[in-house]
């Protein structure tokens, strides 16, 4: 099974690098190396910066793709009407497990991101710049970069810049969760909230955007609109970062011109020739079948036309020898476990969606398929944040793309292929959402299924009782999902352990958050 993505994958540029310039010669660009590679940064007024962002059609690179110029205008307008000093927030909380582009930028080219953020702050007259991160390498690199600029710990400078560390969870990347954590609260979406442009950090009008977006702005300021548009698609100029994983020799963060064929990107990355599909946009994204992936180009417009999304720039190649619905079930359970637990659509709807999809893959028939569609409809548009919508889109895209596999599972009980576990889901699925205050996440305990192979006789009862996490392999013995047991499946897992005829199945408690995993004595529920 494919492990979680490394924190710092290899990097590759198709064509002349921009965002990744200089990273072929240095592990990290310090201030001096950054200026040597990119040159000095020209300053812009708010009007000039807005015109530049509009001229290069700069859109957010964190998933939603919102036009950056509109954010600038909105924040500037609110600040002027209220006479308030705005703030700038960099969202580097890359919660999707299939994406590492922001981790690479913040750890290896932090000054490019800070250039864009500080230039925006100067144009708006902002008093604060906050960079939200979830990983240690990014935090250390940004702190070092602020120190290299003489901004570390300086409260009397023109702008107060600081770094906020959040837990490594999907919801940490939700904008309102980041703002709440930056203000000293829980790193969770607060439910009802105003737009950041009206009431963000400390109640101030706030321009919040993704780390890559600010890096792109810094490039555009140096290159000018015409130079920036010298590469890329007519409506989507410039380059963008993708994280390519799955059926490739190694995961890579790749800088590509906008509009390049997706098939070419996959070929250069060494993807398997016979693919049955491609996941675009990460775990809140959408699947493409092989023909759609072959004609798609890397742009918002082209991917949307083909049924995909650019999202966080995650691209996962799916080979022909794994069950696509099994892969989707695995991710659906992870998405359910990543819920903040604050609203019904997340707390109840996503587990129901995952369980219904698991029943479909286990051969429960048309009634289970209808439950999937009903559960997806029940969560869409009703959550406190966009998590339920993204999860529903991801699941429904699998049903519409992998129709032959769906028919095999619904009508014949299965497609005959194992689930390889290619989606790089972290082992912390189901970990506690309540790590507080935006501080460092401490060691956490999760549970995993394990098999004592000296006892297992291949009865298959565990796969019948817990098809969400256990499948019967070609040899008749169980194959376990490479993930922790989500909270909503703990009861089923305990029942499977109790009923194992050979006493071979167990639940292991695993401590996470150290340099290695520390296993306790296995826990068995008494028969």
């Amino acid at each position: 099974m494919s492990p979680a993505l490394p924190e710092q994958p290899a990097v590759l540029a198709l064509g002349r690098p921009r965002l990744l310039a200089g990273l072929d010669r240095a592990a990290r660009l310090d201030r001096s190396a950054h200026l040597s590679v990119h040159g000095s940064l020209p300053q812009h007024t708010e009007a000039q910066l807005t015109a530049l962002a509009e001229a290069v059609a700069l859109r957010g690179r964190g998933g939603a793709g919102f036009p950056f110029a509109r954010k600038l205008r909105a924040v500037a307008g609110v600040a002027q009407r209220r006479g308030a000093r705005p703030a700038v927030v960099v969202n580097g909380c890359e919660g999707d497990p299939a994406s590492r582009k922001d981790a690479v930028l913040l750890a290896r080219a932090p000054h490019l991101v800070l250039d864009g953020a500080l230039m925006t702050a100067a144009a708006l007259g902002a008093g604060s710049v906050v960079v939200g991160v979830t990983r240690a390498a990014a935090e250390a690199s940004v702190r070092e970069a602020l120190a290299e600029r003489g901004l570390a710990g300086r409260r009397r400078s023109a702008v107060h810049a600081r770094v906020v560390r959040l837990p490594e969870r999907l919801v940490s990347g939700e904008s309102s969760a980041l703002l709440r954590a930056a203000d000293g609260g829980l790193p969770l979406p607060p439910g009802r909230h105003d737009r950041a442009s009206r009431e963000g950090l400390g109640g101030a009008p706030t321009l919040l955007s993704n780390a890559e977006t600010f890096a792109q702005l810094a490039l555009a300021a140096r290159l000018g609109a015409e130079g920036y548009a010298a590469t890329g698609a007519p409506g989507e100029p410039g380059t963008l970062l993708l994280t390519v994983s799955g059926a490739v020799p190694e995961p890579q963060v790749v800088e590509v011109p906008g509009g390049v064929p997706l098939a070419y990107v996959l070929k250069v990355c060494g993807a398997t020739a016979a693919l049955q599909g491609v996941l675009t946009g990460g775990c809140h994204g959408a699947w493409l079948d092989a023909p759609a992936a072959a004609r798609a180009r890397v742009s918002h417009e082209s991917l949307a036309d083909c049924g995909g999304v650019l999202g966080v720039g995650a691209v996962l190649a799916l080979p022909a020898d794994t069950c696509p619905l099994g892969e989707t079930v695995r991710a659906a359970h992870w998405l359910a476990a990543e819920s903040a637990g604050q609203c019904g659509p997340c707390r109840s709807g996503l587990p129901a969606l995952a369980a219904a999809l698991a029943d479909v893959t286990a051969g429960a028939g048309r009634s289970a398929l209808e439950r999937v569609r009903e559960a997806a409809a029940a969560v869409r548009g009703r959550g406190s944040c966009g998590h339920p919508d993204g999860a529903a889109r991801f699941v429904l895209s699998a049903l519409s793309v992998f129709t032959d596999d769906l028919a095999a599972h619904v009508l014949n009980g299965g497609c005959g292929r194992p689930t390889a576990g290619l989606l790089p889901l972290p082992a912390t699925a189901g970990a506690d959402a309540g790590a507080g205050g935006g501080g460092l996440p401490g060691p956490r305990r999760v549970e995993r299924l394990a098999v004592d192979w000296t006892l297992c006789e291949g009865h298959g009862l565990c796969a019948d009782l817990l098809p969400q996490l256990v499948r019967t392999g070609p040899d008749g013995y169980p194959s376990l999902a490479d993930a922790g047991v989500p909270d909503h499946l703990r009861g089923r897992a305990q029942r499977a352990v109790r009923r194992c005829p050979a006493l071979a199945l167990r639940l292991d408690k695993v401590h996470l958050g150290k340099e290695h995993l520390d296993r306790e004595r296995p826990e068995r529920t008494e028969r």
Side-chain angles (χ1 to χ4, degrees):
M1 292 185 181
S2 175
L5 289 181
E7 185 170 329
Q8 291 294 310
V11 297
L12 172 70
L14 303 188
R16 186 174 181 179
R18 289 182 173 183
L19 295 165
L20 302 181
L23 299 189
D24 57 336
R25 303 189 298 274
R28 177 185 179 276
L29 298 180
D30 61 16
R31 179 71 168 148
S32 175
H34 167 73
L35 291 173
S36 176
V37 170
H38 294 287
S40 59
L41 180 71
Q43 293 302 306
H44 290 67
T45 65
E46 181 269 319
Q48 291 171 332
L49 199 60
T50 302
L52 174 65
E54 199 161 49
V56 301
L58 182 60
R59 301 171 68 169
R61 305 300 173 96
F66 195 82
F68 192 81
R70 286 173 59 185
K71 286 188 177 183
L72 275 167
R73 284 198 185 93
V75 172
V78 173
Q80 184 177 18
R81 288 194 299 273
R82 287 171 41 188
R85 198 172 186 190
V88 172
V89 175
V90 180
N91 191 345
C93 301
E94 204 166 25
D96 195 292
S99 182
R100 288 293 184 274
K101 65 182 183 66
D102 293 332
V104 166
L105 277 177
L106 291 169
R108 302 190 61 187
H111 287 285
L112 200 57
V113 178
L114 290 178
D115 277 350
L118 293 169
M119 177 175 61
T120 302
L124 290 171
S128 299
V129 171
V130 172
V131 182
V133 299
T134 56
R135 297 185 175 93
E139 180 187 22
S141 178
V142 175
R143 289 191 187 281
E144 186 176 352
L146 291 175
E148 290 167 354
R149 290 171 177 257
L151 293 175
R154 289 184 58 185
R155 293 182 176 273
R156 294 185 180 181
S157 59
V159 60
H160 177 221
R162 59 189 173 100
V163 184
V164 175
R165 177 90 176 271
L166 284 75
E168 287 189 41
R169 299 201 66 231
L170 184 67
V171 294
S172 294
E174 207 277 332
S175 59
S176 62
L178 171 54
L179 290 171
R180 193 178 184 186
D183 278 333
L186 291 173
L188 300 171
R192 293 190 177 187
H193 57 89
D194 205 343
R195 289 185 181 275
S197 59
R198 289 196 289 264
E199 188 172 354
L201 188 68
T206 300
L207 193 148
L208 186 150
S209 199
N210 165 262
E212 184 193 341
T213 315
F214 285 108
Q216 294 283 2
L217 186 68
L219 288 175
R222 288 178 166 93
L223 297 171
E226 186 175 344
Y228 186 88
T231 189
E236 300 182 38
T239 64
L240 63 155
L241 294 179
L242 303 176
T243 308
V244 182
S245 64
V248 295
E250 64 172 344
Q252 296 185 82
V253 170
V254 188
E255 184 175 8
V256 305
V260 69
L262 179 60
Y264 176 68
V265 176
L266 293 169
K267 180 179 179 181
V268 171
C269 291
T272 304
L275 296 177
Q276 60 176 319
V278 176
L279 177 61
T280 61
C283 288
H284 277 177
W287 291 101
L288 297 178
D289 60 19
R295 67 175 184 272
R297 292 180 175 271
V298 181
S299 71
H300 287 278
E301 182 179 3
S302 177
L303 285 170
D305 288 345
C306 295
V309 293
L310 184 57
V312 296
V315 173
L316 184 135
L318 191 70
D321 59 356
T322 186
C323 172
L325 295 183
E327 297 284 357
T328 306
V329 166
R330 193 168 159 264
H333 281 297
W334 179 80
L335 289 166
E338 282 296 290
S339 163
Q342 298 186 126
C343 66
C346 255
R347 187 174 58 250
S348 303
L350 293 188
L353 178 62
L357 185 63
D359 288 343
V360 169
T361 63
R366 296 180 185 276
S367 60
L369 180 58
E370 285 306 310
R371 289 201 306 275
V372 172
R373 300 190 191 283
E374 290 170 1
V379 302
R380 281 184 295 181
R382 299 177 56 222
S384 296
C385 67
H387 181 43
D389 292 347
R393 176 173 55 235
F394 168 75
V395 169
L396 291 176
S397 74
L399 301 186
S400 64
V401 166
F402 303 115
T403 52
D404 290 343
D405 295 271
L406 182 61
H409 282 275
V410 171
L411 301 177
N412 301 320
C415 65
R417 287 172 294 176
T419 300
L422 284 176
L423 272 75
L425 305 178
T428 54
D432 181 18
L440 301 181
R444 309 176 200 168
R445 189 176 71 176
V446 298
E447 291 181 306
R448 278 180 173 169
L449 286 172
V451 175
D452 185 339
W453 297 109
T454 65
L455 298 176
C456 183
E457 298 175 358
H459 292 95
L461 184 59
C462 54
D464 293 336
L465 293 172
L466 194 60
Q468 300 91 339
L469 298 176
V470 185
R471 296 179 68 87
T472 302
D475 57 359
Y477 284 86
S479 174
L480 306 182
D482 185 21
V485 176
D487 290 341
H488 64 278
L489 290 181
R490 193 170 189 273
R492 291 193 185 191
Q494 290 176 328
R495 186 161 64 250
V497 168
R498 288 195 303 269
R499 296 187 181 181
C500 176
L503 303 180
L505 189 66
R506 67 175 189 262
L507 277 172
D508 280 357
K509 292 180 180 178
V510 181
H511 282 280
L512 301 155
K514 302 180 181 180
E515 292 182 0
H516 56 82
L517 296 179
D518 236 352
R519 292 188 181 272
E520 290 186 344
R521 179 178 299 177
E523 175 185 271
R524 173 176 293 282
T525 304
E526 292 297 326
R527 291 170 62 81

